[in-house]
Each structure stands twice: as C-alpha cells, then as structure tokens.
Amino acid sequence: MTLHCNDVSKMKAFYNGLFNFPISKKGADYIGFYVGTTELVFNQNTDEDSFYHFAFNIPSNQIEQAVKWLKYVGIDVLPYRGLDVVHFGSPIDADACYFHDPEGNILEFIARYRLLGEYDKPFHPLNAYCISEIGIPTFNVLETSNKLCESMNLSVLDGENSDTFTAVGDDEGTFIVVKEGRGWLPTGRESRLYSVEVHLDNQASLLVDHLGNFNITSG
C-alpha cells in the first residue's frame, strides 16, 4: 500500500524507530516498511496535506496490551465515547483502539476474533500480522463498492447497499469505502480524498488520486 506524506524522516522515526517495522525500501523522497505479510510505503508530497485511516491486525488476545503499550511509549490513545477500546459486533466481531502517527493519520490496532490468532509474548507492533484496512473516501459509495467487488473479486463484509459506508473485503484486507466528508472513528474528523495505491496478492490493484479518479485493475 502506498500513501503520501509530508516528511519521510518523521515516518522513518515512527514506523521504524518506534514500531521497529523493518525498512523495505528508502530514498530521498520515499520510504517503505514491512508490516507482517504486507508493505506500507510513503511517498513524500509537500503539495498535498493528506491524511488517511488504516488498520493493523494484531493477535486476538492483545488489544488491552496494545493500549498499555501505546500509553507506555507516549502515544495518546484516541477514545471513543470515553473508552479506549471500541467493540465491533457482528459481522466484524473485533475490538480496536485508535491513535495518530506524526502526520495525523488515524491508525488502528484491531483484534479480530474470527481469526483466533493468539500470542503468548508481550505485545509489540511487530506482532501485527498485516495492514488489514484502508479508508477509501469517494463521492459515490455504492458505485465504488460495486466496482471493487466486481473488478477485484471481493465481497461486501459490512454495510451492503449503504450510500455512506461499506466495508469491502475480508478480515485480512478490507477497503473501508465511505462518503467523502463522513467522519472517521473515533475523532469524527471528516474524510477527504487523497492519493492512495493498493496492490492485492491476486495481482488486482486500486489507484485513487486526490480528485477522486479511480483506476481498478482486475487480478
């Protein structure tokens, strides 16, 4: 997954220096990290003050430990309705906590109970299995969700036929398709269109620019 940022040095200090994600690639204006089985890349673009929402799958028994770890290293946990952990019932069946990176991206550690991946060592971000969600704001949720399902061989996980929110994919990889301007959990900060590039294991890909133009390639 490739996103934009304003300062790659800040991203290196956070994702590699603090989270210890191994560096996959780097240059003067880009940097990438391995996150479990996935890759997170930032391209520096000072012309676009972008922010994103994305999530990391963590072991299903470590959400409370994740909250404690974030607080221990000095990262503010973003509460929702006064709670540090947000519970999602069916069909998501997970608990999650939220926090910011240095550029204001809304990050999420999510423990999905259908995956039943438990870990008996203390929590660390390196325990994350993968990047499991990326928010995709759009002008037309139904149209975008249908295109993702048809072109990338995906299915709706939650919010079918909604014109404001639809989760497309599965527990290990989900596009959170929302109406542009809809507030992100847990802060309510309005979603906006920014450049993003996602490549799936089946060779399908999604490219979105800041104008909301979508280029979807089938796998």
Side-chain angles (χ1 to χ4, degrees):
M1 180 173 74
T2 301
L3 311 176
H4 284 183
C5 71
N6 286 321
D7 189 338
V8 295
S9 64
K10 288 183 179 180
M11 295 315 203
K12 181 178 184 296
F14 186 82
Y15 290 98
N16 176 251
L18 185 59
F19 277 31
N20 292 138
F21 291 151
I23 294 175
S24 60
K25 62 184 70 173
K26 63 179 178 178
D29 58 357
Y30 66 90
I31 190 163
F33 311 95
Y34 291 118
V35 183
T37 59
T38 53
E39 185 182 26
L40 174 63
V41 178
F42 289 100
N43 288 334
Q44 187 163 291
N45 181 0
T46 56
D47 294 329
E48 184 176 285
D49 191 19
S50 55
F51 84 95
Y52 304 89
H53 164 59
F54 52 100
F56 306 108
N57 273 0
I58 65 170
S60 60
N61 63 329
Q62 292 201 319
I63 192 64
E64 296 289 349
Q65 289 187 47
V67 169
K68 291 178 180 178
W69 186 90
L70 289 167
K71 293 181 177 181
Y72 175 77
V73 298
I75 297 174
D76 291 333
V77 176
L78 304 174
Y80 180 66
R81 296 178 178 175
L83 300 175
D84 289 335
V85 174
V86 179
H87 177 70
F88 296 97
S90 179
I92 304 301
D93 193 21
D95 284 331
C97 64
Y98 298 83
F99 54 100
H100 285 136
D101 73 4
E103 294 208 349
N105 294 308
I106 301 173
L107 275 54
E108 176 183 352
F109 285 140
I110 183 166
R112 301 177 187 271
Y113 298 111
R114 278 195 299 268
L115 295 180
L116 298 177
E118 297 192 355
Y119 203 67
D120 59 3
K121 294 183 180 180
F123 175 81
H124 190 278
L126 285 175
N127 299 359
Y129 302 131
C130 62
I131 303 165
S132 63
E133 291 181 2
I134 176 64
I136 305 292
T138 179
F139 297 122
N140 191 318
V141 171
L142 284 171
E143 180 182 333
T144 300
S145 300
N146 288 337
K147 284 183 178 179
L148 289 170
C149 289
E150 294 168 5
S151 300
M152 304 182 83
N153 194 28
L154 301 174
S155 58
V156 171
L157 180 64
D158 191 17
E160 188 170 13
N161 296 322
S162 170
D163 59 2
T164 59
F165 167 92
T166 302
V168 176
D170 57 30
D171 289 339
E172 295 180 311
T174 307
F175 293 107
I176 306 298
V177 185
V178 298
K179 182 75 171 178
E180 200 265 352
R182 184 182 189 271
W184 289 122
L185 281 177
T187 65
R189 186 179 180 187
E190 291 185 354
S191 58
R192 291 288 178 249
L193 290 160
Y194 298 109
S195 303
V196 61
E197 181 176 338
V198 181
H199 297 277
L200 305 186
D201 289 341
N202 65 3
Q203 306 305 311
S205 64
L206 167 67
L207 281 74
V208 186
D209 67 20
H210 67 286
L211 298 176
N213 298 309
F214 283 71
N215 185 345
I216 303 174
T217 304
S218 301

